[in-house]
Amino acid sequence: MKMKKIAALLLVAGALSACSNADRFGNGDGPGTGGPGAGGIVPGSANDPRSAAYFQQTIGDRVLFPVDQSTLTDEARTVLAGQAQWLLQNTEYTARIEGHADEQGTREYNLALGARRANAVSEYLVSQGVSAARVNQVSYGKERPLEICSAESCYAQNRRSVTVVGGGIPTS
């Protein structure tokens, strides 16, 4: 037991000492260097406000719908208002709106429902000033579930629309 504690302490000490000099390799990415890592923002990462990863994780890329509906909830409108604002500030991106449904119902019905959901999201974004030329829609119906089980908790996650942003600034 004592050996495990010593090994754990050595591991922690080693990890901490390895982090003591952010610019130890002389690449100019250390704090205060003005390089790509300046201010802690890594281009293209989830902490870069202009990146698709930021859009997905911070703004939110999906909205959920009640059973058999394509009407936007108040919560959905709040998320979509954030999406519209981000798209208006980042005009180099396009948006593909994916409509989805749960596994209940026929394939044809769910494709039509997914299309109505994608259309509702597209119309909202356009109503907020996003150019219709930058927005397109696709319905996957019940073909791309996030959750697979025959329970309401799974169904609820699959009744969604996802906004996928593309284009943007290369992150080379």
Side-chain angles (χ1 to χ4, degrees):
M1 182 74 162
K2 188 174 183 177
M3 291 299 286
K4 286 184 180 179
K5 286 183 181 178
I6 292 173
L9 286 173
L10 287 173
L11 182 63
V12 169
L16 289 175
S17 67
C19 296
S20 64
N21 183 0
D23 195 26
R24 64 188 168 279
F25 300 113
N27 62 6
D29 285 346
T33 62
I41 296 176
V42 177
S45 72
N47 67 349
D48 176 359
R50 295 179 51 98
S51 73
Y54 180 90
F55 176 88
Q56 180 184 28
Q57 294 178 25
T58 304
I59 303 299
D61 67 342
R62 68 196 58 213
V63 295
L64 301 177
F65 290 88
V67 176
D68 199 31
Q69 291 187 28
S70 58
T71 304
L72 298 173
T73 64
D74 289 340
E75 184 178 342
R77 279 191 281 282
T78 299
V79 171
L80 294 173
Q83 289 183 9
Q85 195 62 25
W86 188 90
L87 286 164
L88 290 169
Q89 292 171 356
N90 296 281
T91 56
E92 66 276 9
Y93 286 92
T94 59
R96 181 181 72 236
I97 313 302
E98 299 177 346
H100 299 271
D102 63 31
E103 69 181 53
Q104 302 173 91
T106 66
R107 180 177 187 277
E108 293 77 17
Y109 179 82
N110 284 321
L111 280 170
L113 180 57
R116 288 193 305 273
R117 288 173 174 167
N119 189 57
V121 169
S122 293
E123 285 181 354
Y124 185 88
L125 293 174
V126 170
S127 78
Q128 298 300 299
V130 178
S131 169
R134 294 175 53 209
V135 181
N136 64 58
Q137 304 123 45
V138 63
S139 176
Y140 292 113
K142 62 182 179 179
E143 304 303 319
R144 294 187 175 185
L146 282 181
E147 300 288 337
I148 301 174
C149 75
S150 295
E152 177 54 29
S153 60
C154 294
Y155 295 153
Q157 295 302 306
N158 293 330
R159 294 189 295 262
R160 70 195 190 282
S161 177
V162 180
T163 303
V164 179
V165 293
I169 301 170
T171 59
S172 61

